[in-house]
Amino acid sequence: MNLETTLGETNSTVWIIILGMTLVTYIPRMLPLVALDAEKIPPVLARMLRNIPYAALGALIFPGILGIHDQLWYGLVGGIVAVGVAYTGAHLIVVVLSSVVVLSALALLL
Amino acid sequence: MTSRAQTQLPGFLQGIQAGLTIAIGYMPIALAFGLLAKNTGISLMHTVGMSLFVFAGASQFMALGLLALGTGTVEIIFSTFIVNIRHLLMSMSINEKAVPESKLRKMVYAFGITDEVFAVASTREGGVGSHYLYGLSLMAYSSWVINSGIGYAAGTALPPAFQQGMSIALYAMFIGLLIPSVKKYRKALFLAVTAGLLNSLLVLILPVGWAIIGATIGAVLLMELIQKEEK
């Protein structure tokens, strides 16, 4: 299979795509930091912005965590392990490794 | 997370330390990205270049998928924009927490604000400064770029069971970041659960980047309404 023709993209086309992706990724990350003056933001909006991390974490976790395997319960088990270990106050790396070890072991059994 | 040793370290090293978890979490994903890039037929330079310049996991996988389908340049760039516009919201939130610094420094650390860097930085106690964010994103970035290259060059991923197990890593990290806040503030639990449920509905009708934005804003607005009722 000739990949160059399969892709239908030349070397420079891929670089143009990468350049475009770079700009549309960087600009949204950068604009608020240089354009917004945190001291001039009204208190109500500032409070809402400080609430964003918790909401964003919820949306980043769910329902994505269920999609890591065909079986929904697989991700759910990993999530429950993470919640349990995190609740004990363990270090973040311990939380991550515990879930990974439990799910790797489960994957061997599946 | 708030050990005595950490508060004594300079900001950059605190960032490096906090970034280790992200570096571990990125490893299997970046290896998979490199491997998939090779199978898609782009060069090693393109693969490492994409990780080096774009530094955004989900959209890089999507770009490979679209390249394989022979999708046009404009469509790929536009899809990337749709997926990554959520970072606008995350940067607005980081801006609230950031200590006042020169625009140049902010422009540098802005490059590194991925979901995971945002999650770690925004759940940190106190403010965040450029040195901390440089260290944090440098760890994430090195892992992402180096492992993309290794995945391509080695042409193999991790053993299947371990790879399957590693797929939980970033979710476990998000949970590990959320739980200490949940224990401290009840509103954190409400916000996270509401956003998770809203997101489950919104992903059915919206691209993933917009679903996250909608769910996040929706949960925050609902929280505001409830607080107003209580007053």
Side-chain angles (χ1 to χ4, degrees):
Chain A
M1 185 167 68
N2 185 333
L3 288 166
E4 203 57 22
T5 51
T6 311
L7 275 178
E9 310 285 0
T10 64
N11 186 41
S12 56
T13 314
V14 179
W15 282 117
I16 290 168
I17 290 171
I18 291 173
L19 176 68
M21 290 175 70
T22 303
L23 293 177
V24 299
T25 302
Y26 178 64
I27 291 169
R29 286 178 182 174
M30 179 269 290
L31 263 188
L33 287 163
V34 297
L36 292 180
D37 187 346
E39 282 167 17
K40 287 188 188 139
I41 288 177
V44 180
L45 188 59
R47 188 176 60 223
M48 288 168 69
L49 287 172
R50 281 194 295 269
N51 279 339
I52 280 182
Y54 312 117
L57 278 171
L60 287 169
I61 295 165
F62 202 80
I65 194 169
L66 301 178
I68 62 168
H69 196 278
D70 301 335
Q71 305 287 332
L72 295 184
W73 61 262
Y74 187 79
L76 202 60
V77 170
I80 292 167
V81 172
V83 170
V85 177
Y87 219 85
T88 65
H91 192 280
L92 192 57
I93 292 178
V94 178
V95 176
V96 171
L97 294 182
S98 316
S99 317
V100 169
V101 167
V102 169
L103 287 201
S104 299
L106 268 177
L108 279 176
L109 298 173
L110 283 178
Chain B
M1 289 299 287
T2 48
S3 65
R4 218 178 309 129
Q6 202 181 28
T7 52
Q8 285 166 351
L9 286 173
F12 182 75
L13 290 179
Q14 286 182 38
I16 294 276
Q17 200 177 47
L20 180 64
T21 318
I22 306 181
I24 294 171
Y26 276 0
M27 189 185 70
I29 304 171
L31 289 173
F33 172 75
L35 180 62
L36 190 64
K38 188 181 194 177
N39 294 337
T40 309
I42 64 172
S43 68
L44 176 63
M45 289 291 282
H46 288 144
T47 306
V48 175
M50 198 188 279
S51 288
L52 203 57
F53 295 119
V54 183
F55 189 30
S59 59
Q60 289 183 223
F61 275 97
M62 196 184 58
L64 291 182
L66 293 175
L67 274 169
L69 291 171
T71 314
T73 305
V74 176
E75 288 96 318
I76 296 178
I77 296 170
F78 187 69
S79 308
T80 303
F81 176 70
I82 296 296
V83 172
N84 289 341
I85 187 80
R86 68 180 185 280
H87 293 134
L88 193 72
L89 201 61
M90 297 182 184
S91 279
M92 283 173 78
S93 178
I94 287 284
N95 194 46
E96 261 315 294
K97 204 178 165 66
V99 298
E101 276 179 301
S102 75
K103 297 215 157 141
L104 185 68
R105 286 187 174 190
K106 289 182 156 190
M107 284 178 82
V108 175
Y109 70 62
F111 176 78
I113 301 182
T114 61
D115 292 347
E116 293 74 21
V117 168
F118 160 78
V120 171
S122 66
T123 49
R124 184 177 190 247
E125 292 290 326
V128 290
S130 55
H131 290 146
Y132 173 78
L133 283 163
Y134 293 161
L136 183 63
S137 37
L138 185 67
M139 285 298 277
Y141 188 53
S142 331
S143 170
W144 183 248
V145 174
I146 293 167
N147 286 308
S148 298
I150 294 175
Y152 191 102
T156 52
L158 301 165
F162 185 53
Q163 201 180 352
Q164 188 60 255
M166 279 300 271
S167 63
I168 195 73
L170 292 178
Y171 293 105
M173 185 182 83
F174 290 141
I175 291 172
L177 291 168
L178 182 62
I179 295 296
S181 307
V182 165
K183 282 165 79 175
K184 256 180 283 175
Y185 325 104
R186 270 180 49 215
K187 68 163 190 185
L189 181 65
F190 174 84
L191 286 161
V193 170
T194 309
L197 294 176
L198 278 175
N199 194 34
S200 312
L201 296 176
L202 291 175
V203 286
L204 303 174
I205 50 168
L206 292 174
V208 125
W210 287 98
I212 290 176
I213 293 175
T216 304
I217 295 179
V220 167
L221 286 177
L222 201 62
M223 182 87 219
E224 279 301 304
L225 283 176
I226 289 171
Q227 282 182 331
K228 216 170 258 175
E229 289 287 306
E230 283 175 355
K231 273 175 199 161

